[in-house]
Amino acid sequence: MYLSWTAGRLDRLHARIDAARAALDAQLVRRASVAMELATSSLLDPAASLLLLDAAHAARQADDEQREVAESQLSLALRAVFEEPEQMAALVAEPGGEDAVRELTAAVRRVPMARRFHNDAVRAARAVREHRLVRYFRLAGKAPFPLAFEMDDAPPPALTPEGAPA
């Protein structure tokens, strides 16, 4: 009875990981799409647009092995482009800039939450899979060992509530 319950629990945890990974992927794609849209909107200076467009394109095209690095590079590019509060204020002052900043802010803020949900699900599944009975009876079946998604997801200070332009 205990083994059956544990196998069911492990199956639910793996389903939770899959759902959390899908949500994380959706948020990462949304962030890269918004960054690409902003980079091509001519609201930014050419150098910032090129930097942001290159990082966003690399993040969207990265394969699974390079995804964490590419997403971290996009975070670095976002911080580099939106480092100066004055630049953010100038962007907001442009026609359509306020909507673009609002959309980017929402996308950037959702990524750490989605990553945290995914990594929490991974941590819970790993804890169950490390139990001796789970290993001895191979209750995980052929499911791959869950891996956390590690990336630099710190938002630019100008896109946080503390650093937002007034």
Side-chain angles (χ1 to χ4, degrees), residues 58-164:
R60 296 238 359 226
Q61 299 300 319
D63 58 353
D64 287 341
E65 292 82 30
Q66 297 299 317
R67 183 89 186 263
E68 293 172 349
V69 174
E71 293 294 344
S72 294
Q73 292 296 325
L74 178 55
S75 295
L76 289 171
L78 285 167
R79 282 198 303 271
V81 170
F82 298 109
E83 183 177 20
E84 301 293 326
E86 297 83 25
Q87 185 176 10
M88 183 62 70
L91 179 61
V92 169
E94 292 285 328
E98 188 173 347
D99 292 336
V101 168
R102 188 177 313 117
E103 193 173 347
L104 181 64
T105 301
V108 165
R109 288 182 186 171
R110 287 182 179 138
V111 168
M113 288 187 295
R115 189 174 76 86
R116 193 172 315 122
F117 288 141
H118 175 267
N119 288 348
D120 287 347
V122 166
R123 199 172 304 114
R126 282 181 170 183
V128 172
R129 286 182 72 149
E130 288 174 357
H131 288 131
R132 189 174 298 139
L133 287 177
V134 172
R135 288 192 322 263
Y136 287 160
F137 289 104
R138 296 187 174 108
L139 297 182
K142 296 191 186 278
F145 194 74
L147 299 174
F149 193 87
E150 297 301 329
M151 66 173 270
D152 175 8
D153 60 4
L159 295 179
T160 62
E162 301 81 31

Side-chain angles (χ1 to χ4, degrees), residues 35-72:
M36 286 179 82
E37 187 177 309
L38 185 61
T40 58
S41 70
S42 74
L43 293 173
L44 298 173
D45 63 85
S49 292
L50 188 59
L51 176 69
L52 199 56
L53 184 62
D54 185 44
H57 180 70
R60 296 238 359 226
Q61 299 300 319
D63 58 353
D64 287 341
E65 292 82 30
Q66 297 299 317
R67 183 89 186 263
E68 293 172 349
V69 174
E71 293 294 344
S72 294

